[in-house]
mmCIF file of all heavy atoms in Angstrom:
data_model
loop_
_atom_site.group_PDB
_atom_site.id
_atom_site.type_symbol
_atom_site.label_atom_id
_atom_site.label_comp_id
_atom_site.label_asym_id
_atom_site.label_seq_id
_atom_site.Cartn_x
_atom_site.Cartn_y
_atom_site.Cartn_z
ATOM 1 N N ALA A 1 -2.769 -19.658 11.039
ATOM 2 C CA ALA A 1 -2.840 -19.155 12.387
ATOM 3 C C ALA A 1 -2.372 -20.062 13.447
ATOM 4 O O ALA A 1 -1.773 -19.698 14.371
ATOM 5 C CB ALA A 1 -4.357 -18.793 12.591
ATOM 6 N N VAL A 2 -2.829 -21.327 13.283
ATOM 7 C CA VAL A 2 -2.454 -22.298 14.409
ATOM 8 C C VAL A 2 -0.969 -22.635 14.272
ATOM 9 O O VAL A 2 -0.282 -22.698 15.428
ATOM 10 C CB VAL A 2 -3.251 -23.668 14.144
ATOM 11 C CG1 VAL A 2 -2.855 -24.674 15.139
ATOM 12 C CG2 VAL A 2 -4.757 -23.411 14.303
ATOM 13 N N LEU A 3 -0.324 -22.727 13.136
ATOM 14 C CA LEU A 3 1.061 -22.956 13.127
ATOM 15 C C LEU A 3 1.951 -21.868 13.704
ATOM 16 O O LEU A 3 2.850 -22.013 14.519
ATOM 17 C CB LEU A 3 1.471 -23.157 11.648
ATOM 18 C CG LEU A 3 1.024 -24.409 10.867
ATOM 19 C CD1 LEU A 3 1.472 -24.432 9.457
ATOM 20 C CD2 LEU A 3 1.421 -25.692 11.648
ATOM 21 N N ILE A 4 1.518 -20.586 13.445
ATOM 22 C CA ILE A 4 2.094 -19.417 13.995
ATOM 23 C C ILE A 4 1.972 -19.526 15.474
ATOM 24 O O ILE A 4 2.928 -19.166 16.277
ATOM 25 C CB ILE A 4 1.581 -18.158 13.419
ATOM 26 C CG1 ILE A 4 1.961 -17.977 11.976
ATOM 27 C CG2 ILE A 4 2.059 -16.962 14.194
ATOM 28 C CD1 ILE A 4 1.258 -16.881 11.288
ATOM 29 N N SER A 5 0.766 -19.881 16.050
ATOM 30 C CA SER A 5 0.601 -19.997 17.447
ATOM 31 C C SER A 5 1.457 -21.009 18.182
ATOM 32 O O SER A 5 2.025 -20.789 19.188
ATOM 33 C CB SER A 5 -0.921 -20.253 17.760
ATOM 34 O OG SER A 5 -1.821 -19.179 17.259
ATOM 35 N N LEU A 6 1.626 -22.134 17.449
ATOM 36 C CA LEU A 6 2.383 -23.196 18.057
ATOM 37 C C LEU A 6 3.882 -22.883 17.979
ATOM 38 O O LEU A 6 4.618 -23.209 18.841
ATOM 39 C CB LEU A 6 2.236 -24.502 17.007
ATOM 40 C CG LEU A 6 0.847 -25.125 17.210
ATOM 41 C CD1 LEU A 6 0.682 -26.362 16.257
ATOM 42 C CD2 LEU A 6 0.669 -25.766 18.522
ATOM 43 N N VAL A 7 4.267 -22.097 16.975
ATOM 44 C CA VAL A 7 5.743 -21.472 17.071
ATOM 45 C C VAL A 7 5.964 -20.709 18.143
ATOM 46 O O VAL A 7 6.978 -20.723 18.893
ATOM 47 C CB VAL A 7 6.038 -20.870 15.689
ATOM 48 C CG1 VAL A 7 7.351 -20.124 15.860
ATOM 49 C CG2 VAL A 7 6.032 -21.824 14.479
ATOM 50 N N GLU A 8 4.933 -19.748 18.493
ATOM 51 C CA GLU A 8 5.026 -18.835 19.588
ATOM 52 C C GLU A 8 5.021 -19.549 20.899
ATOM 53 O O GLU A 8 5.793 -19.173 21.811
ATOM 54 C CB GLU A 8 3.810 -17.894 19.533
ATOM 55 C CG GLU A 8 3.720 -16.961 20.750
ATOM 56 C CD GLU A 8 4.727 -16.016 20.855
ATOM 57 O OE1 GLU A 8 5.464 -15.648 19.764
ATOM 58 O OE2 GLU A 8 4.985 -15.460 21.860
ATOM 59 N N MET A 9 4.392 -20.733 20.960
ATOM 60 C CA MET A 9 4.428 -21.575 22.131
ATOM 61 C C MET A 9 5.632 -22.531 22.185
ATOM 62 O O MET A 9 5.753 -23.294 23.114
ATOM 63 C CB MET A 9 3.189 -22.489 22.131
ATOM 64 C CG MET A 9 1.857 -21.666 22.288
ATOM 65 S SD MET A 9 0.449 -22.726 21.886
ATOM 66 C CE MET A 9 0.418 -23.850 23.332
ATOM 67 N N ASP A 10 6.602 -22.376 21.288
ATOM 68 C CA ASP A 10 7.813 -23.275 21.184
ATOM 69 C C ASP A 10 7.492 -24.722 21.058
ATOM 70 O O ASP A 10 8.211 -25.532 21.578
ATOM 71 C CB ASP A 10 8.637 -23.033 22.399
ATOM 72 C CG ASP A 10 9.408 -21.564 22.399
ATOM 73 O OD1 ASP A 10 9.638 -21.091 21.414
ATOM 74 O OD2 ASP A 10 9.434 -21.090 23.589
ATOM 75 N N LYS A 11 6.347 -25.060 20.377
ATOM 76 C CA LYS A 11 6.025 -26.437 20.052
ATOM 77 C C LYS A 11 6.340 -26.832 18.758
ATOM 78 O O LYS A 11 6.284 -28.029 18.362
ATOM 79 C CB LYS A 11 4.512 -26.626 20.409
ATOM 80 C CG LYS A 11 4.037 -26.502 21.879
ATOM 81 C CD LYS A 11 2.755 -26.778 22.136
ATOM 82 C CE LYS A 11 2.391 -26.860 23.597
ATOM 83 N NZ LYS A 11 3.097 -27.913 24.372
ATOM 84 N N LEU A 12 6.727 -25.948 17.831
ATOM 85 C CA LEU A 12 6.972 -26.219 16.491
ATOM 86 C C LEU A 12 8.159 -25.272 16.051
ATOM 87 O O LEU A 12 8.158 -24.093 16.346
ATOM 88 C CB LEU A 12 5.714 -25.939 15.658
ATOM 89 C CG LEU A 12 5.776 -26.121 14.101
ATOM 90 C CD1 LEU A 12 5.988 -27.663 13.842
ATOM 91 C CD2 LEU A 12 4.647 -25.666 13.347
ATOM 92 N N ASP A 13 9.057 -25.990 15.164
ATOM 93 C CA ASP A 13 10.104 -25.227 14.699
ATOM 94 C C ASP A 13 9.587 -24.255 13.630
ATOM 95 O O ASP A 13 8.675 -24.532 12.855
ATOM 96 C CB ASP A 13 11.202 -26.172 13.945
ATOM 97 C CG ASP A 13 11.905 -26.964 14.986
ATOM 98 O OD1 ASP A 13 12.002 -26.534 16.056
ATOM 99 O OD2 ASP A 13 12.383 -28.045 14.571
ATOM 100 N N ALA A 14 10.095 -23.030 13.651
ATOM 101 C CA ALA A 14 9.662 -21.943 12.800
ATOM 102 C C ALA A 14 9.780 -22.309 11.371
ATOM 103 O O ALA A 14 8.903 -21.947 10.508
ATOM 104 C CB ALA A 14 10.430 -20.616 13.127
ATOM 105 N N TRP A 15 10.915 -22.920 10.987
ATOM 106 C CA TRP A 15 11.091 -23.267 9.613
ATOM 107 C C TRP A 15 10.038 -24.158 9.029
ATOM 108 O O TRP A 15 9.698 -24.090 7.727
ATOM 109 C CB TRP A 15 12.509 -23.856 9.363
ATOM 110 C CG TRP A 15 12.680 -25.271 9.822
ATOM 111 C CD1 TRP A 15 13.125 -25.721 11.083
ATOM 112 C CD2 TRP A 15 12.380 -26.453 9.063
ATOM 113 N NE1 TRP A 15 13.241 -27.042 11.139
ATOM 114 C CE2 TRP A 15 12.745 -27.589 9.908
ATOM 115 C CE3 TRP A 15 12.031 -26.741 7.856
ATOM 116 C CZ2 TRP A 15 12.645 -28.910 9.484
ATOM 117 C CZ3 TRP A 15 11.825 -27.998 7.480
ATOM 118 C CH2 TRP A 15 12.148 -29.156 8.361
ATOM 119 N N ILE A 16 9.509 -25.052 9.822
ATOM 120 C CA ILE A 16 8.488 -25.989 9.341
ATOM 121 C C ILE A 16 7.219 -25.150 9.099
ATOM 122 O O ILE A 16 6.587 -25.392 8.106
ATOM 123 C CB ILE A 16 8.263 -27.031 10.375
ATOM 124 C CG1 ILE A 16 9.468 -28.105 10.507
ATOM 125 C CG2 ILE A 16 6.954 -27.936 9.943
ATOM 126 C CD1 ILE A 16 9.177 -29.146 11.439
ATOM 127 N N ALA A 17 6.873 -24.261 9.928
ATOM 128 C CA ALA A 17 5.757 -23.389 9.703
ATOM 129 C C ALA A 17 5.851 -22.589 8.476
ATOM 130 O O ALA A 17 4.965 -22.469 7.748
ATOM 131 C CB ALA A 17 5.464 -22.549 10.985
ATOM 132 N N VAL A 18 7.138 -21.967 8.332
ATOM 133 C CA VAL A 18 7.256 -21.240 7.111
ATOM 134 C C VAL A 18 7.179 -21.993 5.830
ATOM 135 O O VAL A 18 6.525 -21.589 4.846
ATOM 136 C CB VAL A 18 8.785 -20.506 7.138
ATOM 137 C CG1 VAL A 18 9.065 -19.906 5.886
ATOM 138 C CG2 VAL A 18 8.768 -19.486 8.237
ATOM 139 N N VAL A 19 7.697 -23.283 5.845
ATOM 140 C CA VAL A 19 7.619 -24.123 4.586
ATOM 141 C C VAL A 19 6.219 -24.390 4.175
ATOM 142 O O VAL A 19 5.767 -24.371 3.056
ATOM 143 C CB VAL A 19 8.446 -25.377 4.917
ATOM 144 C CG1 VAL A 19 8.115 -26.404 3.808
ATOM 145 C CG2 VAL A 19 9.883 -25.132 4.823
ATOM 146 N N ILE A 20 5.490 -24.775 5.408
ATOM 147 C CA ILE A 20 4.021 -25.040 5.137
ATOM 148 C C ILE A 20 3.199 -23.960 4.619
ATOM 149 O O ILE A 20 2.430 -24.038 3.737
ATOM 150 C CB ILE A 20 3.427 -25.783 6.447
ATOM 151 C CG1 ILE A 20 4.015 -27.126 6.693
ATOM 152 C CG2 ILE A 20 1.978 -25.933 6.223
ATOM 153 C CD1 ILE A 20 3.646 -27.719 8.013
ATOM 154 N N ILE A 21 3.313 -22.847 5.258
ATOM 155 C CA ILE A 21 2.543 -21.612 4.874
ATOM 156 C C ILE A 21 2.898 -21.146 3.497
ATOM 157 O O ILE A 21 1.965 -20.763 2.769
ATOM 158 C CB ILE A 21 2.718 -20.465 5.937
ATOM 159 C CG1 ILE A 21 2.243 -21.016 7.260
ATOM 160 C CG2 ILE A 21 2.109 -19.209 5.531
ATOM 161 C CD1 ILE A 21 2.459 -19.903 8.450
ATOM 162 N N CYS A 22 4.104 -21.142 3.192
ATOM 163 C CA CYS A 22 4.649 -20.707 1.787
ATOM 164 C C CYS A 22 3.981 -21.617 0.770
ATOM 165 O O CYS A 22 3.515 -21.143 -0.278
ATOM 166 C CB CYS A 22 6.058 -20.591 1.716
ATOM 167 S SG CYS A 22 6.860 -19.224 2.618
ATOM 168 N N ARG A 23 4.022 -22.926 0.964
ATOM 169 C CA ARG A 23 3.480 -23.864 0.040
ATOM 170 C C ARG A 23 2.025 -23.531 -0.168
ATOM 171 O O ARG A 23 1.482 -23.655 -1.280
ATOM 172 C CB ARG A 23 3.733 -25.287 0.505
ATOM 173 C CG ARG A 23 3.287 -26.322 -0.415
ATOM 174 C CD ARG A 23 1.792 -26.743 -0.056
ATOM 175 N NE ARG A 23 1.225 -27.763 -0.876
ATOM 176 C CZ ARG A 23 0.018 -28.058 -1.040
ATOM 177 N NH1 ARG A 23 -0.855 -27.226 -0.447
ATOM 178 N NH2 ARG A 23 -0.503 -29.030 -1.768
ATOM 179 N N GLU A 24 1.231 -23.478 1.028
ATOM 180 C CA GLU A 24 -0.168 -23.262 0.873
ATOM 181 C C GLU A 24 -0.518 -22.109 0.045
ATOM 182 O O GLU A 24 -1.408 -22.133 -0.799
ATOM 183 C CB GLU A 24 -0.658 -23.178 2.342
ATOM 184 C CG GLU A 24 -0.545 -24.334 3.227
ATOM 185 C CD GLU A 24 -1.311 -25.538 2.654
ATOM 186 O OE1 GLU A 24 -2.118 -25.459 1.943
ATOM 187 O OE2 GLU A 24 -0.945 -26.750 3.148
ATOM 188 N N PHE A 25 0.109 -20.878 0.363
ATOM 189 C CA PHE A 25 -0.290 -19.770 -0.450
ATOM 190 C C PHE A 25 0.191 -19.845 -1.871
ATOM 191 O O PHE A 25 -0.345 -19.171 -2.796
ATOM 192 C CB PHE A 25 0.251 -18.470 0.277
ATOM 193 C CG PHE A 25 -0.530 -18.144 1.547
ATOM 194 C CD1 PHE A 25 -0.248 -18.523 2.746
ATOM 195 C CD2 PHE A 25 -1.769 -17.369 1.266
ATOM 196 C CE1 PHE A 25 -0.922 -18.155 3.826
ATOM 197 C CE2 PHE A 25 -2.513 -17.080 2.476
ATOM 198 C CZ PHE A 25 -2.141 -17.523 3.632
ATOM 199 N N ALA A 26 1.367 -20.539 -2.161
ATOM 200 C CA ALA A 26 1.798 -20.626 -3.473
ATOM 201 C C ALA A 26 0.880 -21.472 -4.242
ATOM 202 O O ALA A 26 0.470 -21.090 -5.431
ATOM 203 C CB ALA A 26 3.261 -21.317 -3.493
ATOM 204 N N VAL A 27 0.362 -22.552 -3.694
ATOM 205 C CA VAL A 27 -0.796 -23.340 -4.430
ATOM 206 C C VAL A 27 -1.927 -22.615 -4.632
ATOM 207 O O VAL A 27 -2.730 -22.707 -5.593
ATOM 208 C CB VAL A 27 -0.876 -24.788 -3.702
ATOM 209 C CG1 VAL A 27 -2.091 -25.423 -4.344
ATOM 210 C CG2 VAL A 27 0.409 -25.561 -3.735
ATOM 211 N N THR A 28 -2.328 -21.764 -3.717
ATOM 212 C CA THR A 28 -3.566 -21.026 -3.694
ATOM 213 C C THR A 28 -3.429 -19.997 -4.948
ATOM 214 O O THR A 28 -4.409 -19.761 -5.574
ATOM 215 C CB THR A 28 -3.725 -20.223 -2.411
ATOM 216 O OG1 THR A 28 -3.988 -21.182 -1.389
ATOM 217 C CG2 THR A 28 -5.050 -19.371 -2.494
ATOM 218 N N GLY A 29 -2.227 -19.511 -5.006
ATOM 219 C CA GLY A 29 -2.001 -18.565 -6.163
ATOM 220 C C GLY A 29 -2.091 -19.317 -7.501
ATOM 221 O O GLY A 29 -2.700 -18.643 -8.423
ATOM 222 N N LEU A 30 -1.587 -20.574 -7.524
ATOM 223 C CA LEU A 30 -1.681 -21.273 -8.724
ATOM 224 C C LEU A 30 -3.227 -21.548 -9.111
ATOM 225 O O LEU A 30 -3.665 -21.593 -10.246
ATOM 226 C CB LEU A 30 -0.930 -22.506 -8.623
ATOM 227 C CG LEU A 30 -0.930 -23.504 -9.817
ATOM 228 C CD1 LEU A 30 -0.202 -22.931 -10.926
ATOM 229 C CD2 LEU A 30 -0.241 -24.949 -9.394
ATOM 230 N N ARG A 31 -3.870 -21.824 -8.036
ATOM 231 C CA ARG A 31 -5.416 -22.107 -8.204
ATOM 232 C C ARG A 31 -6.162 -20.884 -8.787
ATOM 233 O O ARG A 31 -7.076 -20.936 -9.613
ATOM 234 C CB ARG A 31 -6.014 -22.603 -6.934
ATOM 235 C CG ARG A 31 -5.685 -23.993 -6.529
ATOM 236 C CD ARG A 31 -6.462 -24.345 -5.261
ATOM 237 N NE ARG A 31 -5.981 -25.653 -4.657
ATOM 238 C CZ ARG A 31 -6.404 -26.831 -5.129
ATOM 239 N NH1 ARG A 31 -7.287 -26.859 -6.167
ATOM 240 N NH2 ARG A 31 -5.945 -27.848 -4.671
ATOM 241 N N GLN A 32 -5.822 -19.714 -8.346
ATOM 242 C CA GLN A 32 -6.367 -18.439 -8.805
ATOM 243 C C GLN A 32 -5.910 -18.226 -10.245
ATOM 244 O O GLN A 32 -6.864 -17.641 -10.999
ATOM 245 C CB GLN A 32 -5.847 -17.358 -7.873
ATOM 246 C CG GLN A 32 -6.291 -17.435 -6.463
ATOM 247 C CD GLN A 32 -7.706 -17.655 -6.255
ATOM 248 O OE1 GLN A 32 -8.587 -16.790 -6.860
ATOM 249 N NE2 GLN A 32 -8.167 -18.485 -5.422
ATOM 250 N N ILE A 33 -4.756 -18.536 -10.651
ATOM 251 C CA ILE A 33 -4.271 -18.477 -12.028
ATOM 252 C C ILE A 33 -5.201 -19.334 -12.798
ATOM 253 O O ILE A 33 -5.727 -18.935 -13.962
ATOM 254 C CB ILE A 33 -2.890 -18.704 -12.212
ATOM 255 C CG1 ILE A 33 -2.027 -17.699 -11.508
ATOM 256 C CG2 ILE A 33 -2.405 -18.810 -13.697
ATOM 257 C CD1 ILE A 33 -0.501 -17.957 -11.456
ATOM 258 N N ALA A 34 -5.439 -20.464 -12.369
ATOM 259 C CA ALA A 34 -6.300 -21.450 -13.155
ATOM 260 C C ALA A 34 -7.864 -20.929 -13.328
ATOM 261 O O ALA A 34 -8.208 -21.149 -14.380
ATOM 262 C CB ALA A 34 -6.255 -22.825 -12.403
ATOM 263 N N LEU A 35 -8.149 -20.340 -12.231
ATOM 264 C CA LEU A 35 -9.519 -19.744 -12.252
ATOM 265 C C LEU A 35 -9.671 -18.770 -13.345
ATOM 266 O O LEU A 35 -10.727 -18.578 -14.074
ATOM 267 C CB LEU A 35 -9.986 -19.246 -10.934
ATOM 268 C CG LEU A 35 -10.364 -20.311 -9.887
ATOM 269 C CD1 LEU A 35 -10.689 -19.605 -8.542
ATOM 270 C CD2 LEU A 35 -11.583 -21.240 -10.310
ATOM 271 N N LEU A 36 -8.588 -18.005 -13.533
ATOM 272 C CA LEU A 36 -8.590 -16.855 -14.469
ATOM 273 C C LEU A 36 -8.627 -17.515 -15.898
ATOM 274 O O LEU A 36 -9.144 -16.826 -16.867
ATOM 275 C CB LEU A 36 -7.369 -15.901 -14.347
ATOM 276 C CG LEU A 36 -7.366 -15.119 -13.150
ATOM 277 C CD1 LEU A 36 -6.020 -14.298 -13.067
ATOM 278 C CD2 LEU A 36 -8.427 -14.119 -13.107
ATOM 279 N N GLU A 37 -8.028 -18.679 -15.970
ATOM 280 C CA GLU A 37 -8.070 -19.349 -17.289
ATOM 281 C C GLU A 37 -9.354 -20.257 -17.408
ATOM 282 O O GLU A 37 -9.308 -21.180 -18.350
ATOM 283 C CB GLU A 37 -6.727 -20.261 -17.409
ATOM 284 C CG GLU A 37 -5.547 -19.510 -17.382
ATOM 285 C CD GLU A 37 -5.324 -18.642 -18.609
ATOM 286 O OE1 GLU A 37 -6.014 -19.026 -19.653
ATOM 287 O OE2 GLU A 37 -4.590 -17.657 -18.549
#
């Protein structure tokens, strides 16, 4: 939420926000797979 807001304010490059957000949810998905195991 904060990264998206900072992009809207032109304080952060959008690609950096996309990279960080994608990584966060990818690792969260991996953790959920681990919990299933």
Side-chain angles (χ1 to χ4, degrees):
V2 175
L3 291 180
I4 293 171
S5 299
L6 291 172
V7 170
E8 175 66 20
M9 298 169 66
D10 291 326
K11 291 184 174 296
L12 179 68
D13 290 336
W15 72 267
I16 293 180
V18 170
V19 166
I20 293 176
I21 293 172
C22 287
R23 180 271 183 201
E24 296 296 343
F25 283 99
V27 172
T28 298
L30 182 64
R31 290 184 185 277
Q32 297 306 313
I33 294 174
L35 286 177
L36 293 175
E37 299 290 336

